[in-house]
Amino acid sequence: MKKLKAYIAVSLDGFIADHEGKIDWLTGFPNPENTDYGYADFLATIDTTLMGNSTYKEVLILSETFPYPDKTNYVFTRDSTLTDTPFVKFISRDVTEFITHLKKQTGKDIWLVGGGQLNGTVLEADLIDEMIIHVIPVALGSGRPLFGGIPADKVFRLTGSKTYSNSVLELHYSR
């Protein structure tokens, strides 16, 4: 059975994007050692990505080419008229039912890329197995919350942590 893993960065106050949906605070954060924060190692553990449509659009803006061509990529959207691309399948049916079925398949794990609404829906449905959260020492004051403001009372256990030289804190949580 596949695990569903969130690998994501948040501000000190728990936002994944500013109030306009921008992540300049993240992409512009100093990284003098050019660390990838374990990204390459994490990518080697997954064969599937899940993201909301707004996150997908942001991914396309940030990269000249689609960054996960070797993965199976699903984008959740309310727009059932979108046409699949060579690297992305658009899903407009029930999120929790789809992911529950996906987790039962064999293969590597699944990356919950985001955004907040999808994160919240999946958390509420109790489908997240692990979270790797990078806390960036920037306070935004407002923005898009990690779990989209969807209330969920779920308990995770801290299984590891790492502090980087630029004060980024990596936290590993499991169910």
Side-chain angles (χ1 to χ4, degrees):
M1 189 164 172
K2 294 180 169 213
K3 288 183 180 179
L4 181 63
K5 299 176 178 180
Y7 178 97
I8 199 160
V10 298
S11 65
L12 278 176
D13 41 1
F15 298 110
I16 57 174
D18 68 18
H19 66 281
E20 294 177 346
K22 305 290 183 203
I23 60 168
D24 298 346
W25 60 273
L26 173 61
T27 56
F29 189 76
N31 184 4
E33 295 177 1
N34 291 316
T35 182
D36 76 346
Y37 303 106
Y39 182 70
D41 290 340
F42 174 78
L43 274 183
T45 70
I46 61 123
D47 63 8
T48 306
T49 72
L50 308 176
M51 64 189 89
N53 197 33
S54 294
T55 299
Y56 170 66
K57 290 175 183 175
E58 189 67 27
V59 165
L60 293 179
I61 291 169
L62 292 173
S63 184
E64 289 181 22
T65 60
F66 188 73
Y68 320 115
D70 60 332
K71 312 292 182 196
T72 301
N73 304 286
Y74 298 103
V75 172
F76 293 93
T77 178
R78 291 178 190 91
D79 185 352
S80 61
T81 65
L82 293 177
T83 304
D84 293 350
T85 73
F87 302 121
V88 171
K89 295 175 186 161
F90 291 98
I91 307 298
S92 58
R93 59 184 186 265
D94 184 79
V95 171
T96 57
E97 184 180 300
F98 182 85
I99 295 173
T100 299
H101 173 73
L102 196 61
K103 287 180 69 173
K104 292 177 182 175
Q105 296 178 4
T106 59
K108 293 183 178 182
D109 292 329
I110 305 163
W111 178 16
L112 176 61
V113 179
Q117 289 297 313
L118 181 59
N119 293 346
T121 298
V122 174
L123 178 69
E124 184 180 42
D126 212 16
L127 293 172
I128 299 175
D129 299 295
E130 295 179 22
M131 290 191 284
I132 301 167
I133 300 174
H134 293 86
V135 182
I136 310 302
V138 172
L140 297 177
S142 67
R144 300 204 176 151
L146 174 58
F147 297 110
I150 297 172
D153 189 5
K154 309 297 179 190
V155 177
F156 286 79
R157 180 174 47 88
L158 182 67
T159 57
S161 64
K162 181 176 182 177
T163 305
Y164 292 90
S165 63
N166 61 352
S167 300
V168 170
L169 179 60
E170 179 179 295
L171 303 169
H172 290 241
Y173 291 99
S174 295
R175 293 300 304 252

